[in-house]
Amino acid sequence: MAMRMSALISRHRLRATAALLLGALIAAGSGCTATEAQPSAQTTAAATTPSPGPALWSFGDDDTTVYLFGTVHLLKPDTQWLTPHFEAAWQASDVLYMEANTDSAEVQAGLARKMQEIGVYRDGSSLLDRLSDEERATVAAAADALGVPLPAIAPLKPWLAGLQLSVMQLVKSGYDPASGVETVLSGDPVIADKQRRYFETADQQIEFFEQLTQADQVAMLVAGSRAVVEEPEALDELVRAWSRGDVAELASLMSSVDAFGSEAVYQLLLTDRNRDWVPRIEALLSEPGTHMIAVGAGHLAGTDSVIAMLERRGHSVTRR
């Protein structure tokens, strides 16, 4: 069965999934139900009028500037997001921080192998046996909408099945990891003059999902499956909010328990990681120069965002 899955799930889709790993927020966020907008860290920077385009923040001291830019990991090729104020910050930056290195062919191949190793049942059991009748019907409806035979995802653990369905929907809708912000930045010739650093490894990002309980994996799968059928244009809405810098709207769409399917998934994939990154971001103040942090937009929106955490620790973070 696992051998058949290797043929059914193309390397392209596995690599697209790799581009989403930190962006489980997209896989889940594309399935969220809009909720009342949460307060965002943008409020403390209200004294300045932010520039148009995706949100950019900065904080620092006399000899250090740290920029924070929220990204989308997959975009349609015609999405326009580069703005003069971002390009000026990008050109000035000495170091680029991203979530993880997923751009090289070697890393992507390793990710595909890792997903097969830990995301596929090896004992002959089936995802479908772990779903209630209602959950199975929801997943089946999503698979049918995408033209995927249900047996094709049966060998996958719930977290990988959920990511695969979400990636397939995004690719079907015209989204491409090659057009994602991180890929564009990594391909820019000016990157040769910058150091590249990462908050996590690609393997860590996969292992996050394996830490989830069966129930939480299923909750993520069901939320994403429901979105495939009920909200197929949700990512378009999210990208529109991102591209106009509407942080409050992004918080409601991406940075909430509803967006991730359960409190445990939200904590593991968003809040806990933000909390881990913040001290490392603060430590940059001891490194003179200009640093650009480019991480998924969901990490910079809402009350549990990196921005909000920095502000609660006494930093003045300015929306540019």
Side-chain angles (χ1 to χ4, degrees):
M1 187 72 78
M3 292 287 290
R4 290 208 304 270
M5 279 308 302
S6 296
L8 286 167
I9 302 173
S10 69
R11 176 162 295 188
H12 171 72
R13 284 175 183 155
L14 284 171
R15 290 181 178 178
T17 300
L20 275 178
L21 284 173
L22 210 310
L25 56 92
I26 292 178
S30 64
C32 72
T33 300
T35 58
E36 182 179 351
Q38 301 179 40
S40 76
Q42 183 182 2
T43 55
T44 54
T48 61
T49 301
S51 301
L56 175 70
W57 292 266
S58 70
F59 78 106
D61 57 22
D62 291 343
D63 58 5
T64 305
T65 298
V66 180
Y67 289 107
L68 299 109
F69 184 70
T71 69
V72 178
H73 304 308
L74 286 82
L75 288 169
K76 292 180 178 179
D78 60 354
T79 303
Q80 301 297 314
W81 59 270
L82 286 168
T83 60
H85 72 287
F86 172 80
E87 292 204 66
W90 169 239
Q91 292 286 343
S93 298
D94 308 303
V95 183
L96 170 65
Y97 284 80
M98 294 187 290
E99 297 174 25
N101 178 8
T102 59
D103 21 306
S104 75
E106 181 180 1
V107 169
Q108 290 177 5
L111 283 171
R113 286 193 300 271
K114 183 82 169 180
M115 282 188 279
Q116 290 283 1
E117 288 170 8
I118 70 172
V120 177
Y121 291 116
R122 298 290 175 181
D123 58 1
S125 60
S126 170
L127 164 69
L128 305 181
D129 296 334
R130 290 164 168 81
L131 303 177
S132 69
D133 290 345
E134 182 179 356
E135 290 165 345
R136 192 181 302 113
T138 300
V139 174
D144 183 64
L146 295 169
V148 179
L150 198 56
I153 61 170
L156 304 184
K157 293 182 181 179
W159 67 264
L160 184 53
L163 289 180
Q164 289 293 343
L165 292 176
S166 295
V167 168
M168 292 175 72
Q169 181 195 21
L170 297 179
V171 172
K172 180 180 178 182
S173 299
Y175 287 88
D176 185 352
S179 299
V181 173
E182 288 87 352
T183 305
V184 171
L185 295 182
S186 296
D188 190 323
V190 304
I191 195 68
D193 298 324
K194 305 181 192 301
Q195 295 182 49
R196 275 196 254 193
R197 301 178 186 174
Y198 305 95
F199 290 114
E200 298 161 344
T201 68
D203 277 0
Q204 276 181 299
Q205 293 191 339
I206 296 179
E207 289 162 2
F208 286 137
F209 295 99
E210 193 68 5
Q211 294 174 37
L212 294 168
T213 66
Q214 178 91 5
D216 289 321
Q217 290 185 39
V218 169
M220 190 176 79
L221 166 62
V222 170
S225 297
R226 188 173 293 119
V228 169
V229 176
E230 298 177 4
E231 302 178 81
E233 297 180 357
L235 188 57
D236 292 337
E237 181 182 357
L238 184 154
V239 170
R240 284 192 293 270
W242 169 77
S243 64
R244 65 176 181 264
D246 190 339
V247 180
E249 179 69 5
L250 285 174
S252 72
L253 292 172
M254 302 173 73
S255 305
S256 68
V257 172
D258 287 344
F260 285 84
S262 75
E263 176 70 31
V265 180
Y266 174 76
Q267 289 290 332
L268 179 67
L269 298 184
L270 192 77
T271 307
D272 290 350
R273 293 167 65 220
N274 291 350
R275 192 175 291 119
D276 178 65
W277 297 350
V278 164
R280 297 157 70 183
I281 294 170
E282 287 180 305
L284 297 179
L285 296 177
S286 65
E287 294 188 37
T290 303
H291 307 266
M292 170 67 73
I293 294 171
V295 294
H299 292 284
L300 304 184
T303 55
D304 294 318
S305 68
V306 167
I307 304 295
M309 290 181 185
L310 286 169
E311 292 181 332
R312 288 196 289 270
R313 292 165 74 104
H315 298 284
S316 177
V317 184
T318 302
R319 175 79 180 270
R320 310 306 297 185

